[in-house]
Structure formats: structure tokens, C-alpha cells
Amino acid sequence: MNKNVPLTTLERFPDYLNYLRELNCAENEKIASGAIAQALGLGEVLVRKDLAYTSCVGKPRVGYVVCDLIAALERVLGCENKRNAVIVGAGGLGRALLSYGGFIKYGIDVVAAFDNDLDKCKTDVGGKPVLHIDELNEGIKKFNAELAVICVPTSAAQNICDKLVKSGIKGILTFAPVNLKVDESITVRYVDLAANLAILNSLM
Amino acid sequence: MNKNVPLTTLERFPDYLNYLRELNCAENEKIASGAIAQALGLGEVLVRKDLAYTSCVGKPRVGYVVCDLIAALERVLGCENKRNAVIVGAGGLGRALLSYGGFIKYGIDVVAAFDNDLDKCKTDVGGKPVLHIDELNEGIKKFNAELAVICVPTSAAQNICDKLVKSGIKGILTFAPVNLKVDESITVRYVDLAANLAILNSLM
């Protein structure tokens, strides 16, 4: 959808969006690229280049209309196209994500989790069901889910990934630190929590 | 420590390390850059450029000695300098991280969590204590922690960040989607879980 936006730019868009939303601006209030740059600790030229990938045009010496810029960023990030996501693996992380309310502001509704442990399937989390992994295919269709988050141990990740793709999932976010083999029509994004702490450590 | 390694390269190092470790190679076994590239879905030239930032030198038509490359990557990632980390915020995510075993392979020991909810402080998680936030300063010194992970709600993140810095923390990983204001001597790394799902969504 946004293959013309460089990934590094796209990865900064949520930061811009979070910052602008928190300003709670009035309808016609404006903001200069310099102010955005300073608040986010970025260079002003970079901010202008990034925002040029949205449909919102800033005016010299005036800046961007904040509401318009928010709408433009939301459009690029697909916040308007509501999509459903499921979580596979209802351990600590999976359950934390299932009850986390922060996805909906990007138009993503995390609707259910799946696990192979029947004990974990007994209780809802934040009002959302934890279903048995055997119901994965059926559940994905029932919930009309297009996105999935893999929170299973590394050794099970590829198997789960294959099942998700077979069930029609088009986008996968995985926390398992292993490279998944998928058809190139499937979009995969990796978040390695331990690696993030290690990178922080090595930057100190 | 690794300010000469480009961040994008550094961010790929855990992927190389995970892949090479899983090969379970014998002492003198070698691997070509092309094989690494193919396994990780990267370009071969990129792989060679990345690995040139380590102390391990590959030989033309032979490749890298796997064990040496692992050791070199571990050195850059600081796996040998064991560091302690604390978690602030013992909700779902904080507790999941406290019991997660994946940090130790990078030399990072997550030793305790802190929370302002006395009920959450009653039980250990994975054998690790959850202490009251009032004990933060004392706890950080006692555990000799240099790293901290912020898992509190966004509205509390800056306040916690200030407390961490006052207690001597030098590196902060934060899951709160807000830009933290810190002295530039402090290293901060952001992981926005909702944004990651949004970016995935917008790439589909």
C-alpha cells in the first residue's frame, strides 16, 4: 500500500502522529516543521522530507494545519481501514497484548488469542476470548482477521506462521527471534524484545 | 560504545547472531556471506558490509569461521559485559518481560520489577521480585542495575524516566509511545508495539 514511502520514514510516522494528537489542537491551528523537529529530537530537514510523503502540504513561514497533518498521517498508516488482528500464544506477552488498548488508535482491533494450552483457554483477557489453537483456521475466518501476532516460543514460530498463512492471514508481526519463511505476498515484521535491550546496551 | 557502527547495521546484528547460534556449528566450520544472506533474506553485499564492522574477517571463497563470527558479534553487542536491568511497571507487559528468559543470551539479567500497586508487589514473577516504586532508587543501587525498561502508562513515563536517571540508570528502553526528555548522556530506545502493528498494516 505504501511501498513508495521509505521504511525509515514510515517508521517515524507513528511518532509524528502521537505527538500531534497529544497537542489537542483547535481546528485551524498550525505547527511549524521546526517545532515538530525539536519536540521529537529530529532534524528539521528530515521532518519536512518525511512529511512530504503525506498528502498534507506545509506552507512556508506558516507550517502545517495540525488537523490536516493528523488526517494525512492516519491515511498513510491505514488507521481508517479498520482491520482485525489475532494473537497466537497466550503466555505473558500474548495476554498483555490482548488486553492492551493502544492498537485501536491505529484502526486495529485485536479480537482474540489462540493457544495450545487448554488451561489458558478457560478465561477471557480484557473481555477477549482465548481459543484453542485447533480453532485457528475457523476463528480467523469468523473474526475476519487479516493480521496476526506471533507470541509463541521460537521453536513453534514457523509452524504457526504456516498455519496462519493457510488460514488467509496477510500480515504477521512476530516476537519470535527467528527468520520466517513465507511467500513474498505475505508481509512480516519482526520485533525482538531481547535484541532491543541488547542494542540499547551496546549503544551505551 | 559502538557509535561507529551505523544503527541500521547494529540492528541487524542480533539477527545474524541468532541465526549463527542456531546452526550449532563445529569449531572450525565456515559459512559464506551468501549463505547468511539467503537465510536472512538480505543482500550479500549488505551482509559483507555489515560484518565488516565486527572484528571477524571473512576469507574470499571460504567465508567466516562461524564460532569466530559469533564471538565477534557478541563482542559488539556487549554480551560479554554482563549488565543488570530493572523493569518499571508490572502490568501484563512488565510481568511478561520479567519472566522472559531471552535477555540472558545477550548478557542482560532482568533482576526485578517495580510498581506503584501494592497488590502487584505481593508475588514474585519467575522467581524475581516485584518491589514498590518507593524502593526504586534503593533497589537500582542494590541490584547494580544500569538498564531500565519502562512499561508504565504513557502519562507516567516521563516521571518514571526522571526517577530512573536520578537513580543512576544510563540506558532506558521504553514501551510508552511518548518522546522522553533526557540528558544526552542517557541512551533511550523506543519500542512502540501498536506502531509496529500499524506499520505492518500500512505495508500490506
Side-chain angles (χ1 to χ4, degrees):
Chain A
M1 187 201 269
N2 287 301
K3 281 176 182 155
N4 54 336
V5 183
L7 186 59
T8 49
T9 292
L10 193 62
E11 287 180 332
R12 280 187 291 270
F13 278 178
D15 302 334
Y16 294 123
L17 186 56
N18 281 329
Y19 169 66
L20 295 169
R21 279 172 169 171
E22 272 164 29
L23 294 178
N24 283 315
C25 283
E27 203 177 337
N28 280 312
E29 228 168 302
K30 294 170 191 72
I31 191 163
S33 51
I36 301 173
Q38 196 176 10
L40 297 180
L42 301 170
E44 194 178 335
V45 175
L46 181 74
V47 170
R48 275 205 293 265
K49 274 191 188 169
D50 279 352
L51 299 182
Y53 283 100
T54 72
S55 60
C56 184
V57 183
K59 283 186 190 166
R61 282 183 295 280
V62 175
Y64 303 86
V65 176
V66 176
C67 294
D68 293 353
L69 189 49
I70 288 174
L73 286 162
E74 286 177 343
R75 218 169 296 132
V76 182
L77 285 167
C79 303
E80 295 161 334
N81 320 322
K82 204 170 150 299
R83 278 205 170 117
N84 289 343
V86 295
I87 287 166
V88 186
L93 180 62
R95 296 172 87 87
L97 294 176
L98 193 56
S99 63
Y100 179 56
F103 299 112
I104 202 71
K105 66 181 178 180
Y106 292 108
I108 296 164
D109 199 359
V110 176
V111 290
F114 296 87
D115 203 284
N116 63 355
D117 179 350
L118 278 169
D119 284 341
K120 287 188 184 142
C121 304
K122 281 176 187 159
T123 48
D124 287 8
V125 178
K128 290 165 183 178
V130 181
L131 305 170
H132 193 265
I133 195 72
D134 288 349
E135 298 175 57
L136 185 67
N137 184 44
E138 192 187 333
I140 284 170
K141 287 179 172 60
K142 181 182 143 197
F143 290 116
N144 194 23
E146 293 170 85
L147 298 162
V149 185
I150 296 182
C151 302
V152 301
T154 306
S155 57
Q158 184 64 55
N159 179 257
I160 292 297
C161 171
D162 296 343
K163 282 185 179 164
L164 288 169
V165 172
K166 265 188 203 154
S167 303
I169 289 292
K170 298 282 178 242
I172 295 171
L173 182 71
T174 177
F175 288 89
V178 61
N179 205 47
L180 296 175
K181 288 166 196 70
V182 284
D183 185 86
E184 59 183 21
S185 65
I186 310 297
T187 310
V188 180
R189 196 166 162 83
Y190 299 85
V191 178
D192 184 337
L193 296 177
N196 269 287
L197 205 50
I199 290 162
L200 173 70
N201 188 18
S202 68
L203 285 169
M204 281 166 61
Chain B
M1 187 200 272
N2 287 300
K3 282 175 182 155
N4 55 335
V5 183
L7 185 60
T8 49
T9 293
L10 192 62
E11 288 181 333
R12 279 187 291 270
F13 278 178
D15 303 333
Y16 293 124
L17 187 56
N18 282 328
Y19 169 66
L20 295 169
R21 279 173 168 172
E22 272 163 32
L23 293 177
N24 284 314
C25 282
E27 203 178 335
N28 281 312
E29 226 167 305
K30 294 171 190 72
I31 190 163
S33 52
I36 301 174
Q38 196 176 11
L40 297 180
L42 300 170
E44 194 179 334
V45 175
L46 181 74
V47 170
R48 276 205 294 265
K49 276 191 186 170
D50 279 352
L51 298 181
Y53 283 100
T54 72
S55 59
C56 184
V57 182
K59 283 184 190 167
R61 281 183 295 281
V62 175
Y64 304 86
V65 176
V66 176
C67 294
D68 293 352
L69 189 49
I70 288 174
L73 285 164
E74 286 177 344
R75 219 168 296 133
V76 182
L77 285 168
C79 303
E80 294 162 334
N81 320 323
K82 205 170 150 299
R83 278 205 169 116
N84 289 343
V86 295
I87 287 167
V88 186
L93 180 62
R95 296 172 86 86
L97 294 176
L98 193 56
S99 62
Y100 179 56
F103 298 111
I104 203 72
K105 66 180 178 180
Y106 293 108
I108 296 165
D109 199 359
V110 177
V111 289
F114 296 88
D115 203 285
N116 62 358
D117 180 350
L118 278 169
D119 283 340
K120 287 189 184 140
C121 303
K122 282 176 187 158
T123 48
D124 287 7
V125 177
K128 290 166 182 178
V130 180
L131 304 170
H132 193 264
I133 194 73
D134 288 348
E135 298 174 56
L136 184 67
N137 184 42
E138 191 188 334
I140 284 171
K141 287 180 171 60
K142 181 182 143 196
F143 290 115
N144 194 22
E146 293 171 85
L147 296 163
V149 185
I150 296 182
C151 302
V152 301
T154 306
S155 58
Q158 183 64 54
N159 180 257
I160 292 298
C161 171
D162 296 343
K163 282 185 177 163
L164 289 167
V165 172
K166 266 188 202 153
S167 303
I169 289 292
K170 298 281 179 244
I172 294 171
L173 182 71
T174 176
F175 289 89
V178 62
N179 205 48
L180 297 175
K181 288 167 196 71
V182 284
D183 184 86
E184 60 184 19
S185 65
I186 310 297
T187 310
V188 181
R189 197 167 162 83
Y190 299 86
V191 178
D192 184 337
L193 297 176
N196 269 288
L197 205 50
I199 291 162
L200 173 70
N201 188 17
S202 68
L203 286 169
M204 281 166 60

